[in-house]
Amino acid sequence: MSSEITTATAQSTAGIDIGIASLADLQPVTVDGSPRTAVERIEQIVALGVQADGLGLDHFGLGEHHNTDFVVSSPAVVLAAIANRTNRIRLTSSVTTLGALDPVRVYQDFATLDLISHGRAEITVGRSAYPEPFTLFGADMSRYDELFAEKLDLLLQVRANPSLTWHGEFRPDLEDAAITPRAVQDRLPVWLGVGGTPGSAARAGYLGLPMILGYIGGSPDRLQTLAGIYREAGAQSGNTDNLRLGVALHYFGAPTMEAAAATYPYYYDFLRPKHQGGGGFTVTPGQFQLGLHPGRHLMIGTSEHVIAKLAELYDALHFDRVQALVDWGGLPRELVAESVHRLGTEIAPALRSHVAAADRAQARSGI
């Protein structure tokens, strides 16, 4: 293993891991009247990955969707473009809709990304909150959890075995099948993305997989419950050494709180249902303002405001990774770049200092 690969891996596992993500949502006309094309959106996403790498952030996540409200259905392809222009940042899906896909092909795509990036690829898998991929790929959504469980098992077996014999219900059998190419990393990292289901948190802990929780509403209480379930399941299965907890959240770093509050129209447009029967929900101005308060879920505000909220969240959860969704709702490109700059130069160093101090205090107390 080269020193470059060793360094990338070490950076992802030492201390607090701070990164950004894009869901690649597309507003053909943004709330300020600006047109936005798919080509421009992809260019922005690649530029964000390059910017994050230059700022010393630890990872870049990219969502996968299969409807017209988003521009990325194959994260590995876009992440490969970012890999070619970066040196150290780790690259992950956020998330791969595994229940609707072929785990063999998923592994092949991300193993190829791992080769291109010299060992910086990861996969984050989830069950998906959208019906489109199941319809598109002919998967039975009425057996949503069974599909995911079997396909996750196959993905983990493919990751561990260059040649595999396997029998299941939802995919043709494999008989001494060679799975190529192989990732550079001995074990390609697989994270489990969890929205709020206790059973999913328990599954991640039982399997000893790193888990990332979506934090899109309320106080940290629900996350604390899920984190407890995760850690208890890991302890019961003897997998405590392999557990890592991540939190994915909505972020915008603003010069003033007034500028932060002014992003509401973009946030509303980001989450509102875009078509009949489509996913999403309506955020009222009052709900948005409540989310900005200390102890609530929105990491939107000045650097000082966001630092305080992230520090409080860390003290509640002791997470290992934080993933900030940065480019939601058609926010102007220059504002997103400024926000990411604040994350990399002001917020991340402060959070790392807080985590280091908290860890030293914990070590002194002998807990």
Side-chain angles (χ1 to χ4, degrees):
M1 183 176 288
S2 73
S3 59
E4 180 181 5
I5 296 167
T6 302
T7 299
T9 303
Q11 287 168 334
S12 71
T13 57
I16 186 75
D17 177 324
I18 303 171
I20 67 170
S22 172
L23 293 186
D25 55 306
L26 175 66
Q27 292 73 25
V29 179
T30 65
V31 294
D32 61 6
S34 301
R36 187 76 60 89
T37 68
V39 169
E40 290 168 337
R41 191 70 175 94
I42 293 290
E43 288 176 346
Q44 180 191 15
I45 290 166
V46 173
L48 284 171
V50 174
Q51 181 186 13
D53 184 65
L55 289 168
L57 295 172
D58 296 301
H59 72 272
F60 182 87
L62 185 56
E64 174 192 318
H65 294 87
H66 298 270
N67 65 56
T68 56
D69 299 329
F70 302 88
V71 297
V72 174
S73 60
S74 180
V77 175
V78 181
L79 292 172
I82 296 171
N84 196 44
R85 295 179 56 187
T86 56
N87 297 307
R88 56 169 301 282
I89 197 165
R90 296 188 66 77
L91 304 164
T92 184
S93 55
S94 185
V95 301
T96 293
T97 57
L98 186 63
L101 305 177
D102 180 358
V104 174
R105 188 61 178 170
V106 169
Y107 176 84
Q108 289 177 321
D109 286 346
F110 282 86
T112 303
L113 174 63
D114 207 46
L115 292 168
I116 292 168
S117 65
H118 300 277
R120 294 186 280 135
E122 300 179 359
I123 312 172
T124 304
V125 298
R127 297 191 303 172
S128 178
Y130 293 84
E132 289 90 353
F134 295 88
T135 302
L136 190 62
F137 298 112
D140 184 358
M141 197 170 182
S142 70
R143 303 185 68 184
Y144 182 76
D145 194 64
E146 294 168 87
L147 273 166
F148 183 77
E150 179 178 293
K151 291 187 176 188
L152 177 59
D153 174 71
L154 177 54
L155 177 64
L156 297 178
Q157 291 198 46
V158 168
R159 177 179 73 162
N161 299 285
S163 181
L164 183 64
T165 295
W166 177 88
H167 306 282
E169 182 178 357
F170 299 108
R171 188 204 183 281
D173 294 343
L174 299 170
E175 298 292 343
D176 195 27
I179 311 298
T180 59
R182 303 304 298 177
V184 174
Q185 299 171 87
D186 290 337
R187 181 157 292 199
L188 185 65
V190 174
W191 287 69
L192 189 59
V194 174
T197 307
S200 294
R203 172 160 43 210
Y206 177 78
L207 294 173
L209 294 175
M211 175 180 74
I212 188 160
L213 294 170
Y215 185 28
I216 60 171
S219 70
D221 296 347
R222 178 182 61 87
L223 300 188
Q224 286 179 303
T225 299
L226 293 171
I229 291 169
Y230 171 61
R231 288 165 174 149
E232 182 178 354
Q236 290 177 352
S237 63
N239 282 320
T240 54
D241 290 344
N242 299 318
L243 301 188
R244 295 180 68 205
L245 177 65
V247 180
L249 41 79
H250 297 167
Y251 161 80
F252 180 77
T256 65
M257 290 304 296
E258 291 77 15
T263 64
Y264 168 72
Y266 296 95
Y267 197 73
Y268 169 86
D269 203 43
F270 168 48
L271 291 175
R272 69 175 177 84
K274 307 298 192 302
H275 47 82
Q276 187 69 30
F281 51 91
T282 299
V283 178
T284 68
Q287 290 169 331
F288 181 76
Q289 286 295 328
L290 179 61
L292 300 183
H293 289 179
R296 308 298 290 189
H297 65 289
L298 291 178
M299 300 298 162
I300 297 174
T302 63
S303 293
E304 295 78 10
H305 183 75
V306 173
I307 289 165
K309 292 183 72 170
L310 285 174
E312 181 182 23
L313 186 62
Y314 177 81
D315 292 342
L317 295 175
H318 294 281
F319 51 77
D320 303 287
R321 167 175 283 190
V322 60
Q323 183 176 96
L325 182 65
V326 297
D327 61 341
W328 38 266
L331 283 165
R333 183 168 176 167
E334 63 277 9
L335 294 186
V336 174
E338 291 169 7
S339 171
V340 172
H341 184 78
R342 289 187 181 95
L343 179 66
T345 60
E346 299 172 8
I347 297 169
L351 180 59
R352 290 185 178 117
S353 294
H354 176 84
V355 169
D359 290 350
R360 287 194 299 270
Q362 184 179 36
R364 286 195 298 272
S365 68
I367 298 174

